[in-house]
Amino acid sequence: MTYIRNAWYVGSWSHKLEAGVPLAVQILNDPVVIFRTQSGKVVALADRCSHRLAPLSLGRCEGESIRCMYHGLKFEGDGSCSEIPGQDLIPANSRVRSYPVIERHGWIWVWMGDTDAVDEELIPPIIGPDEGTYLLGKGDIDYQAQAYLIWDNLLDFSHLGYVHPTSFNSTETWGETRPVFTPLPLGVRADRWVLDQPPLFGDQRSDQWFTYDFLVPGILILTTKTFPVGKAEEFGMTTPPDDAAWIQNSYSAHAITPLTDGTARYFFTFGPHADGGTEAGRDAFLELAFTAFAEDQTFIEAQSRIIAQSPGAQIMPTSADKGITLFHRLTDKMIKAERESKLEPAA
Ligand code: FES
Ligand SMILES: [Fe+2]
């Protein structure tokens, strides 16, 4: 599987990046070191010293720089080497790759593609955990599976009634009805009502409105609102009015970053609307999310193992796979365009 390179990938949580402590991550197979400089700037460099290829993440942050602690070469935020102990000449090939990086919405976004194609506008319009509208808990999960299998899980909620009947209280109605999928320039939108459902908490059944955008390069932005049974019909089975009184309103943003071809890190937030929400409610949402996402993980990692044991085995799509098909069609097209424009740097 090839992934889009000209995109922003979540490399870390903002709050996990302590000043002066280098963090080793892997994104699209590239070893990357992320660190926060003394002035608070976030830097992402290839985690590979140009001298003898030791990881810079074992290095020492010094002001705005990082020093490789094997033989002491020092590197600046732009990747240039500024010091070679005992040697005046700094050769041009001492530079390491520097990745464009932006800290926004509580995440550290790393641009993995061509620097000529960097576009800040491509950071998805999520609501971050400190932005007030929702009380959002934060979680992450490491997967021994291809990132795209996690996308596919999130692009097809027909699994909810089978995988999450007790955690999310989901019923098999999820598989019996289909959302409306709308292609977006950089993703897919899914909207749906699920009628007369048990709630996540408590016992009041409700009509539930789910709307999400699944965006390049693997970002899910989901809003769920529940209403008294019968309201979906009253709203014409379409988008509920913004000012309609809801019972529960929750939000979550998910970012699935391919670490390698066969591993991924799944970052997510989840929680209730600040209007009526509480910190205890936020924690309950987060605990529920961890339980439910572990259920997904069991399936997806097992699925990944079977795929590895079955060279050449083909999938047999159903009508529930429409969102997956639309999204993969889009990413395949983008990967092809990257190749053709030769914007994709050599791996
Ligand atoms: S490997 Fe980094 S200084 Fe030698
Ligand atoms: Fe799931």
Side-chain angles (χ1 to χ4, degrees):
M1 177 81 189
T2 306
Y3 292 102
I4 294 166
R5 291 203 71 104
N6 286 329
W8 296 100
Y9 286 88
V10 173
S12 168
W13 293 98
S14 273
H15 70 274
K16 288 199 176 169
L17 197 62
E18 288 175 46
V21 182
L23 178 71
V25 298
Q26 222 178 347
I27 307 174
L28 304 185
N29 294 312
D30 290 9
V32 177
V33 57
I34 304 176
F35 62 98
R36 196 186 291 284
T37 69
Q38 199 168 38
S39 68
K41 195 175 158 224
V42 178
V43 171
L45 300 177
D47 192 11
R48 189 173 47 239
C49 177
S50 52
H51 176 221
R52 300 195 67 80
L53 318 183
L56 293 177
S57 53
L58 291 181
R60 182 170 72 200
C61 293
E62 296 183 4
E64 301 304 294
S65 324
I66 190 165
R67 186 180 298 279
C68 178
M69 290 304 279
Y70 200 2
H71 314 97
L73 269 68
K74 187 166 128 182
F75 297 90
E76 303 305 313
D78 64 357
S80 62
C81 178
S82 53
E83 197 183 320
I84 300 178
Q87 175 177 322
D88 293 334
L89 177 72
I90 309 276
N93 61 359
S94 61
R95 176 180 280 273
V96 296
R97 181 174 177 182
S98 167
Y99 296 85
V101 61
I102 290 177
E103 187 167 21
R104 189 176 295 172
H105 307 310
W107 282 333
I108 307 290
W109 302 82
V110 184
W111 180 265
M112 297 304 294
D114 196 289
T115 46
D116 292 344
V118 173
D119 183 351
E120 203 173 321
E121 297 292 310
L122 293 179
I123 292 185
I126 66 169
I127 300 172
D130 300 318
E131 290 165 28
T133 320
Y134 292 89
L135 299 174
L136 298 173
K138 310 177 190 101
D140 54 77
I141 302 171
D142 278 356
Y143 262 77
Q144 297 297 314
Q146 304 85 314
Y148 78 86
L149 293 179
I150 310 171
W151 302 350
D152 296 355
N153 167 276
L154 294 168
L155 281 158
D156 174 11
F157 280 7
S158 70
H159 74 270
L160 264 71
Y162 304 101
V163 179
H164 309 303
T166 51
S167 54
F168 282 154
N169 282 338
S170 308
T171 68
E172 293 180 15
T173 310
W174 279 95
E176 290 155 5
T177 58
R178 298 282 181 261
V180 175
F181 283 106
T182 311
L184 303 172
L186 286 174
V188 180
R189 175 164 297 163
D191 296 318
R192 80 191 301 171
W193 281 101
V194 192
L195 305 181
D196 193 10
Q197 294 296 298
L200 288 184
F201 305 105
D203 52 16
Q204 185 181 1
R205 295 180 74 87
S206 58
D207 286 351
Q208 304 181 345
W209 168 250
F210 290 81
T211 179
Y212 69 78
D213 288 355
F214 196 87
L215 303 174
V216 167
I219 310 291
L220 175 83
I221 307 171
L222 168 69
T223 306
T224 306
K225 289 183 186 175
T226 69
F227 298 89
V229 174
K231 280 287 179 184
E233 278 203 20
E234 200 178 294
F235 298 144
M237 297 297 289
T238 60
T239 312
D242 279 346
D243 59 357
W246 36 262
I247 303 169
Q248 181 72 258
N249 178 343
S250 66
Y251 177 89
S252 62
H254 310 224
I256 296 91
T257 298
L259 305 181
T260 64
D261 291 341
T263 59
R265 186 160 293 154
Y266 184 158
F267 301 89
F268 64 92
T269 63
F270 192 27
H273 200 282
D275 181 4
T278 61
E279 289 190 2
R282 177 199 61 199
D283 295 347
F285 267 97
L286 189 64
E287 194 183 331
L288 190 60
F290 270 115
T291 305
F293 296 168
E295 293 164 344
D296 288 309
Q297 187 177 15
T298 299
F299 258 92
I300 293 167
E301 290 186 344
Q303 178 192 20
S304 175
R305 288 192 293 274
I306 294 292
I307 290 171
Q309 291 161 14
S310 318
Q314 297 292 310
I315 58 160
M316 188 283 302
T318 69
S319 63
D321 294 10
K322 185 173 176 185
I324 299 174
T325 306
L326 287 171
F327 191 72
H328 280 263
R329 200 177 287 159
L330 171 69
T331 56
D332 287 351
K333 208 168 98 188
M334 291 177 74
I335 289 165
K336 190 159 172 261
E338 275 185 7
R339 283 208 184 115
E340 285 173 359
S341 67
K342 303 203 188 318
L343 281 175
E344 185 182 9

